[in-house]
Amino acid sequence: VRGAGVHLYDVEGREYLDVYNNVPHVGHTHPHVVAAIQRQVATLVTHTRYLHAGILEYAERLTASLPAPLDTCLFVNSGSEANDVAWRLARSATGGNTGGLVFEHAYHGITEAVAALTPSGGRPRDPRVVTLGLPAAQLRAGDTMSDAALRASARDAEQALETLAARGLKPAACYIDSGLTSSGILDPPPAWTATWAGPVRRAGALIVGDEVQYGLGRSGSHFWGFERRGLVPDIVTLGKPVGNGYPMGVVIAPRALVEAFQAKYGFFSTFGGNPVAAAAALAVLEVLGREQLMANARATGEYLTARLLALLPRHPVLESVRGVGLMIGVSVRAHGELPAPRVAKFMVNHMAAQSRVLIGTEGAHGEVLKLRPPMPFGSAHADRLVAAIEAAADALGAL
Ligand SMILES: Cc1ncc(COP(=O)(O)O)c(C=O)c1O
């Protein structure tokens, strides 16, 4: 019923450690963001037919942090809307191409077009969309891929493009969630990116960098997740964390692309980029800088990863630790009669009920514990999390 920083409180006033929520990016009810929203609500709340200084300032701050070609913003209200508009932009820029490429188990949102680009959770696959294979889950920061693995990945991309062509489709866009979150939280090196981005671009598709999960410094090493992948997308989409819980989505693309789209279709979103959303989003950028939260994500992520890796030899049910910064996955093994996804579910529920630590699951079948807290998560929080994981693993052993 209440949140503050990295904690949530239930109706009885009990405190929970929140290792699940990435929407309150700079922390639940951060006072600076709350004050900015309150001030703006009391000053002006309106649609976006008139320009407001807040959204102009935000667009300038955002585009200053992005590679040069990504200089123009369209504002919407969610990650799904941002990905939907990106799809329309890509179709417009490619002369109406209808084929889409996404990674196995990716999640990109809920509109009709974007749900078709979302094969996560076993959802039916749209015949206009083909999936690209994933890099090996065990790749850790700094790991390289063998030439054979890189060649296999390139072949996979070529095959996906051939499948589209065989269906009579030309590709409009390839989407990548740079954290490969719902695919199991993977962290491949830039050499992997080159294996698919080259063929995909040569086939005429635009690359959409979906930063809804991984943007705003979550990796701890780069402000934008695509930088970590060694990629400059043609279009970038943002959602979830940008307003710290106030609804906001952004599409950023080169000016010429946006202007051509505007000229053809026009674009207007009543609430997208409204003065309150802009105030919230500006405040989020300010807190990120002031509190050095990307550096915190790096430091805590390194500490947490080391502590988790130390658990593996002691708890055979814990299989691997993946990801970086404050986007970390722990894959689990089957235990006795319980298959791995049931083990993960048992651990999530045990941690919530017994330790009051909230986490989630990801991966093809939900076999990966997802650790994705608000960005002010520190080493003492990491200690509490690790103790809760150990307690859950012990409880499983005692079943
Ligand atoms: C990578 C990614 N893209 C897009 C979305 C859709 O965002 P929203 O739920 O705000 O529409 C999500 C939501 O979980 C996501 O994880």
Side-chain angles (χ1 to χ4, degrees):
V1 296
R2 190 165 67 82
V6 297
H7 295 109
L8 288 168
Y9 300 85
D10 70 11
V11 72
E12 315 276 358
R14 287 178 300 214
E15 181 192 82
Y16 289 72
L17 182 65
D18 185 0
V19 195
Y20 181 81
N21 283 290
N22 59 339
V23 171
H25 192 61
V26 300
H28 288 276
T29 59
H30 192 289
H32 185 68
V33 182
V34 170
I37 291 172
Q38 285 174 333
R39 242 190 340 267
Q40 189 56 48
V41 164
T43 309
L44 176 70
V45 186
T46 185
H47 55 77
T48 52
R49 281 288 187 204
Y50 299 108
L51 277 182
H52 184 266
I55 203 60
L56 297 179
E57 190 183 340
Y58 185 64
E60 280 167 7
R61 299 257 320 251
L62 205 54
T63 50
S65 73
L66 285 157
L70 295 162
D71 61 358
T72 303
C73 301
L74 294 170
F75 292 97
V76 290
N77 308 288
S78 69
S80 298
E81 276 188 54
N83 281 331
D84 194 83
V85 172
W87 178 247
R88 292 181 63 201
L89 279 172
R91 290 207 57 206
S92 161
T94 56
N97 288 1
T98 49
L101 295 137
V102 292
F103 288 88
E104 291 283 350
H105 311 298
Y107 184 87
H108 294 291
I110 59 171
T111 70
E112 186 166 7
V114 177
L117 295 158
T118 290
S120 88
R123 289 175 181 83
R125 297 179 178 190
D126 189 290
R128 291 164 299 182
V129 176
V130 296
T131 50
L132 298 167
L134 298 170
Q138 67 272 20
L139 284 167
R140 301 208 43 76
D143 282 358
T144 53
M145 283 173 71
S146 69
D147 286 347
L150 291 171
R151 273 198 305 275
S153 178
R155 247 192 334 269
D156 173 79
E158 296 288 2
Q159 267 166 15
L161 289 161
E162 281 163 21
T163 303
L164 271 187
R167 291 178 193 167
L169 300 165
K170 288 187 186 153
C174 173
Y175 281 63
I176 175 164
D177 159 8
S178 44
L180 294 161
T181 316
S182 55
S183 304
I185 306 182
L186 311 174
D187 189 30
W192 170 78
T193 305
T195 63
W196 56 267
V200 156
R201 280 197 162 122
R202 280 195 295 280
L206 271 60
I207 295 179
V208 178
D210 180 334
E211 293 283 320
V212 169
Q213 289 276 351
Y214 214 41
L216 305 192
R218 182 158 286 279
S219 72
S221 64
H222 298 80
F223 195 72
W224 300 112
F226 60 75
E227 297 171 306
R228 189 169 172 84
R229 300 282 156 258
L231 174 73
V232 178
D234 301 293
I235 303 174
V236 164
T237 57
L238 311 181
K240 288 182 191 289
V242 285
N244 216 49
Y246 193 92
M248 171 93 153
V250 195
V251 184
I252 309 115
R255 188 172 192 84
L257 204 164
V258 174
E259 282 183 349
F261 179 72
Q262 283 282 18
K264 231 187 288 176
Y265 303 108
F267 175 82
F268 169 65
S269 165
T270 299
F271 295 122
N274 72 76
V276 186
L282 268 169
V284 168
L285 290 186
E286 283 159 7
V287 175
L288 276 171
R290 232 183 251 176
E291 300 183 8
Q292 295 290 294
L293 292 179
M294 190 169 115
N296 181 67
R298 179 184 209 131
T300 308
E302 282 172 2
Y303 176 76
L304 176 58
T305 300
R307 290 222 49 199
L308 290 168
L309 286 170
L311 290 186
L312 299 190
R314 292 209 299 277
H315 297 282
V317 76
L318 305 178
E319 181 189 50
S320 76
V321 180
R322 34 324 241 281
V324 70
L326 289 176
M327 175 72 88
I328 293 183
V330 180
S331 65
V332 300
R333 293 194 177 92
H335 175 80
E337 301 278 280
L338 290 184
R342 295 274 306 278
V343 167
K345 204 165 203 169
F346 173 90
M347 292 188 68
V348 169
N349 289 335
H350 185 280
M351 290 169 69
Q354 304 301 322
S355 307
R356 296 201 198 122
V357 172
L358 306 176
I359 65 164
T361 57
E362 279 299 3
H365 308 288
E367 71 289 5
V368 179
L369 305 178
K370 174 170 63 177
L371 315 177
R372 187 197 51 182
M375 293 281 279
F377 196 78
S379 55
H381 306 125
D383 288 338
R384 180 170 165 197
L385 166 62
V386 169
I389 291 175
E390 277 216 272
D394 285 340
L396 197 67
L399 277 186

